[in-house]
Amino acid sequence: ILRALVQAPFWVSITLNLIRIHHGRSAGLDGRMALLFACTICLTSAAYLRAVLDFRLPLLVTIYDWLAYMTVAIAAWLSFLAAPCPRRREQLCLAVLGGLTLYLLVNLALYAAGVRHAEPLYFKEFPASTLGLLGVRTSAALFPMAAGVNAFGAVGGAALAMSGGVLLAGMSGRWRVVLAIAGMILGLVTLLWTDARLSLLAAALVLGLMAAAGTRRALALRWMPLLPV
């Protein structure tokens, strides 16, 4: 019951934003980003289904986790769509980037202070092979507040790609540049330390696409990594 109550504010947000969109008090729907969001929902749903079939996870628990994810994702997406102007959308996205950067910073600070993850997972003893290629010999880290290496890698990859997009788009404002640089550094450090190679590759691919597309396209694509987050 308590877990269901936690979802209540998100359903309130969904309802209010649907009303705003219905009455036309929003900046409108971007069809391309809506398509990307729909693909993300489909891929995530397929991942939950695979978890049930391959890992024999309890069906009801998995359905609840899927609904919880969808509730948060849809609430966030509708908040973005219901923004009254593009500038408000940008402010919301920068707020998310700031949250990701702060989350990475807190985890790094806790790990440096000696706080370790409570769950003894086997890969904590594995070497960080990506850092090993750079001549740094250390074990892969599982940060204190991480849900897992893959989940934490997704956050680091999103922060790295979004921050790079902000810099490639040439956004003005000192605090935006500082936030983007901090996000890039923290994202790269956490990706290397957790040895999340797939997330690092995905972030590099997104940055490459934005760089190849040029400044104008980068301005449109820089928030694309928000979708899986």
Side-chain angles (χ1 to χ4, degrees), residues 19-187:
I19 293 173
R20 179 184 292 272
I21 293 172
H22 176 71
H23 289 288
R25 297 195 298 270
S26 67
L29 178 65
D30 188 325
R32 289 172 297 179
M33 295 300 289
L35 178 60
L36 286 173
F37 180 72
C39 291
T40 301
I41 294 296
C42 292
L43 290 173
T44 304
S45 301
Y48 276 99
L49 180 61
R50 178 176 174 270
V52 173
L53 297 177
D54 292 354
F55 300 102
R56 299 293 189 270
L57 296 181
L59 180 60
L60 291 179
V61 173
T62 305
I63 290 175
Y64 175 81
D65 290 340
W66 177 83
L67 287 173
Y69 174 86
M70 292 300 166
T71 298
V72 175
I74 292 172
W77 182 248
L78 288 178
S79 295
F80 181 78
L81 289 181
C85 62
R87 183 178 180 183
R88 178 58 178 166
R89 289 183 178 181
E90 190 163 283
Q91 290 173 343
L92 290 173
C93 293
L94 284 170
V96 174
L97 175 57
L100 297 179
T101 304
L102 179 61
Y103 174 73
L104 296 176
L105 178 61
V106 169
N107 273 276
L108 278 169
L110 290 174
Y111 195 86
V115 180
R116 296 294 182 265
H117 199 284
E119 189 173 354
L121 300 176
Y122 75 94
F123 47 76
K124 290 173 68 177
E125 305 300 326
F126 280 21
S129 57
T130 309
L131 282 175
L133 296 175
L134 302 176
V136 179
R137 306 297 175 186
T138 185
S139 60
L142 180 62
F143 288 94
M145 299 170 64
V149 169
N150 291 332
F152 198 81
V155 174
L160 176 61
M162 291 167 60
S163 299
V166 170
L167 296 177
L168 286 172
M171 292 180 64
S172 60
R174 181 178 300 176
W175 72 271
R176 289 183 174 88
V177 175
V178 171
L179 176 61
I181 292 174
M184 285 198 71
I185 293 174
L186 292 171

